[in-house]
Amino acid sequence: MVPFACRLLGEIRYPEDYSFERVAAIETDIGAVLEDALAGLGVARVEVAPGPESLTFEVACDACSSEEGAAVCEAILPLADDGPLGRVVVMRSADEPITVYYFCGENLDEVSVERPTCSVAE
């Protein structure tokens, strides 16, 4: 695995009643949406994996602040404004917090997990 300073792991989970056409529309549009949203992040790799129940993506980049992670989610919101549940996990270096964004409709929630304090026994 090639190390990067930051990785974004995303998922858009489709509602059960979604039509094949609606799923295809999201799968068609997500590439351009991610490309625009990630333009300033020094992206080294983007992988998108469509599936029958959800679409997942992974981004490797130089860095991603909390504000930039939220901006990526906000760019995705219009694609998923009619029901999908989405989340984006931003994993930075081990000494920085992990941030998880959940979104559905127009709602976007952010949760950060800080690195625990470690002490080494002598």
Side-chain angles (χ1 to χ4, degrees):
M1 180 178 356
V2 177
F4 294 96
C6 186
R7 289 187 355 188
L8 287 78
L9 306 172
E11 177 183 28
I12 299 173
R13 182 160 296 278
Y14 307 128
E16 288 184 22
D17 61 349
Y18 248 29
S19 68
F20 175 77
E21 292 80 14
R22 182 64 182 110
V23 170
I26 290 176
E27 291 175 354
T28 300
D29 295 342
I30 191 69
V33 169
L34 285 174
E35 184 177 330
D36 289 345
L38 299 168
L41 296 183
V43 172
R45 184 182 81 234
V46 177
E47 293 182 27
V48 178
E53 296 177 5
S54 67
L55 176 140
T56 60
F57 60 89
E58 180 176 354
V59 177
C61 59
D62 294 335
C64 184
S65 69
S66 181
E67 293 80 15
E68 290 166 328
V72 169
C73 293
E74 289 170 2
I76 297 171
L77 284 175
L79 268 183
D81 65 353
D82 61 344
L85 173 63
R87 66 180 167 183
V88 173
V89 178
V90 179
M91 296 175 23
R92 300 172 187 92
S93 65
D95 58 338
E96 294 184 55
I98 293 173
T99 307
V100 182
Y101 302 91
Y102 291 96
F103 54 91
C104 185
E106 296 179 3
N107 300 318
L108 176 62
D109 293 314
E110 177 182 338
V111 177
S112 288
V113 179
E114 299 290 331
R115 178 183 63 88
T117 304
C118 297
S119 60
V120 178
E122 293 182 32

